[in-house]
Amino acid sequence: MQSHGKRWAVRTATAMLTAGAMLTLGMTGLASAAEPSTIDPTKFGSINIHKYGFDEYNQLPPNLSNGTELAPGDLNGLLPMSGVTFQVQQVQGVDLTTNAGWNSLPGRTPTNPGGALGAPISQTTNATGDAVFSNLPLGLYLVTETMYPAGYVPADPFLVTIPMTHPTNLNEWMYNVHVYPKNFNADGPDKIVEDGGATKVGDTISWTISGKIPPSQTLDGYRIVDPLDERLEYVSTEVSFKNSATPLIEGVDYELVTDNSQGFDVFGPGTNVVVTFLPAGLAKLAANNQDEILVTISTIVLEVGDIENTAIIYPNLPSFDIKPGTPGWPGDEVDPDNPPGPGGPGITPNPPVTKFNGITINKVDASDNGRLIAGAEFQVFTSEADARALTNPISINGTDTWITDNNGVASISGLRVSRWANGGPVAPGETGYRLYWLAEVKAPSGYELLAAPISFEVLSTADTQVPLIVQNSPSNGGFTLPFTGSVISALLFYGAGTVILLGVALMVIRSRRKAAAEIL
């Protein structure tokens, strides 16, 4: 009985397992019928492009794109970009309804897709940044951004398949693919001037350009141009990363041109400093694409004035051919019937300015209703101590002493503006503020020297220049020094002198007579 019971239990369990397996297989068959795991060759798909732009690296969210449509919150507040044109081309000879077709995909790249390309299809993004390529046959596609706003760097070309395996429902095919290529706004480079240590024309000041690097692994070109004002004399250039210690070597990583041989004379008659990155340098930029490029240019100030200095960044190779005044140049009105070429250059939005001016000295007589005086000599100093000791006078173009002319005027031109330094206004006590001291080193004939140096500021060329009035007192304050004694005393003095002289003469005569008598 026990043996019979055991056999019955085993048979019952086996039957139940078999039934369970059959049920599982049946359910799997039903699921397969509802969601087939093989590609339907009769279907068509779509590539849905959602275009956004960003200005700073910290705006760029993690790459969440997996072919599905993202929620607005995933885009970290990026702004949609309209008017961006994309081109889609099918790579020929790829049959994605076969395993062999899928196995042929590894190793293909946008620059080497591994097959001939079909006829291009173009779409331009709408106001919400969307462009839809619908009714596409199954296959492999190359997507290229062909038109984008000036100052922006396009997204790299990319390959996409229709269909794709659904990223979360791994037993489904996804025929409508969503992609989110983003444009980096290269914008104009930032630029600063360092002139706080300068005092006069002839001093050296530096300009530092800071250019963003496009977040691309395939940079085809990068150039920075500084069209120097003709009132600046070029001295030298240094190129480096802002943060990375990776060196950038002239002639290896970049080419430096400091003349107009490449046609940059369109910017003006001054020296144009052109830094163009070579293939080795472009690779370094791509490897450090969240850093910035610093170009520091040293110049000598040649003339007075408010000297503005801008810079232009060319973020990619196509932008090299866009010249001022042509479509795509920043600030120009773009003809909708003649849209700009891809990616124009960007100009420094707020160019820094260095300011040099001078003073006019009016030398006047303090006692004669402001009569102007010629022949007074002055020197200028940067400290009161130097002015009192007459040490370290400022020399401008070889001149360190200024003399008032027949009109009592002396002009000193070429001093840095007192309340402007390093590209912005400064107040007394702040870094870069400059107070000057005027000392009289030689007074006009008949006048006293200034008892103490006079402090003064150099005003901006935009301000009304007020002459510096310097008064001189006549010698001894205009008082006449008297002779010593009175008229009577003088007569007595002269009379006494005459008597003495007569006495001396009589003594000489008597002496000679006595000597003659003794001889006889």
Side-chain angles (χ1 to χ4, degrees), residues 197-212:
T199 58
K200 62 185 182 347
V201 166
D203 285 349
T204 299
I205 64 176
S206 66
W207 311 82
T208 299
I209 305 163
S210 178
K212 300 173 185 176

Side-chain angles (χ1 to χ4, degrees), residues 14 68-69 87 101 116 120 159 235 246 254 342 350 396 398 451 504-505 510:
T14 301
T68 62
E69 187 170 7
Q87 175 180 279
L159 295 170
V235 177
T246 303
Y254 65 90
N350 297 300
I396 301 176
V504 171
R510 288 178 181 176

Side-chain angles (χ1 to χ4, degrees), residues 15 32 43 52 87 126 223 345 355 398 434 437:
S32 298
K43 280 197 171 185
Y52 291 84
Q87 175 180 279
N126 59 20
R223 171 180 286 168
K355 298 186 178 186
R434 178 70 70 199
W437 296 84

Side-chain angles (χ1 to χ4, degrees), residues 194-485:
E194 295 183 31
D195 62 2
T199 58
K200 62 185 182 347
V201 166
D203 285 349
T204 299
I205 64 176
S206 66
W207 311 82
T208 299
I209 305 163
S210 178
K212 300 173 185 176
I213 304 172
S216 172
Q217 298 300 316
T218 57
L219 291 177
D220 58 0
Y222 192 86
R223 171 180 286 168
I224 292 177
V225 176
D226 187 342
L228 296 177
D229 190 284
E230 60 184 330
R231 293 168 290 181
L232 299 172
E233 178 183 325
Y234 172 77
V235 177
S236 63
T237 298
E238 294 181 3
V239 182
S240 66
F241 284 106
K242 182 176 182 179
N243 300 309
S244 172
T246 303
L248 293 170
I249 304 169
E250 182 182 353
V252 176
D253 298 314
Y254 65 90
E255 176 188 45
L256 175 63
V257 176
T258 56
D259 56 32
N260 294 328
S261 63
Q262 295 186 354
F264 289 98
D265 55 312
V266 294
F267 293 114
T271 300
N272 294 296
V273 182
V274 183
V275 176
T276 303
F277 280 83
L278 304 173
L282 291 172
K284 290 183 178 180
L285 265 60
N288 296 274
N289 61 16
Q290 293 194 21
D291 206 337
E292 295 182 20
I293 291 296
L294 299 182
V295 176
T296 301
I297 300 171
S298 295
T299 64
I300 294 174
V301 180
L302 300 178
E303 299 178 23
V304 300
D306 293 356
I307 305 173
E308 182 180 276
N309 191 10
T310 189
I312 303 98
I313 187 170
Y314 296 78
N316 47 43
L317 187 60
S319 67
F320 286 12
D321 295 327
I322 299 177
K323 302 297 182 184
T326 61
W329 185 255
D332 288 349
E333 292 295 328
V334 176
D335 182 356
D337 297 326
N338 184 27
I347 301 179
T348 301
N350 297 300
V353 178
T354 187
K355 298 186 178 186
F356 287 75
N357 201 4
I359 62 165
T360 299
I361 302 170
N362 284 1
K363 186 68 170 175
V364 299
D365 187 324
S367 65
D368 190 9
N369 296 320
R371 182 174 63 86
L372 296 171
I373 309 170
E377 298 185 13
F378 296 94
Q379 289 184 330
V380 178
F381 303 85
T382 58
S383 71
E384 183 179 8
D386 278 341
R388 289 186 178 279
L390 300 182
T391 55
N392 305 312
I394 292 175
S395 177
I396 301 176
N397 295 326
T399 299
D400 64 4
T401 304
W402 291 267
I403 306 172
T404 56
D405 59 19
N406 291 332
N407 296 316
V409 176
S411 295
I412 304 176
S413 179
L415 298 172
R416 183 171 64 80
V417 170
S418 296
R419 294 176 179 254
W420 187 272
N422 300 325
V426 291
E430 294 181 346
T431 300
Y433 172 78
R434 178 70 70 199
L435 186 64
Y436 298 91
W437 296 84
L438 183 74
E440 188 172 18
V441 296
K442 183 178 179 181
S445 177
Y447 289 87
E448 300 286 354
L449 287 168
L450 289 178
I454 299 173
S455 64
F456 68 91
E457 291 184 340
V458 175
L459 303 179
S460 172
T461 55
D463 299 326
T464 301
Q465 189 70 55
V466 179
L468 182 63
I469 305 298
V470 178
Q471 293 181 324
N472 266 75
S473 295
S475 296
N476 195 39
F479 303 113
T480 302
L481 291 175
F483 276 110
T484 302

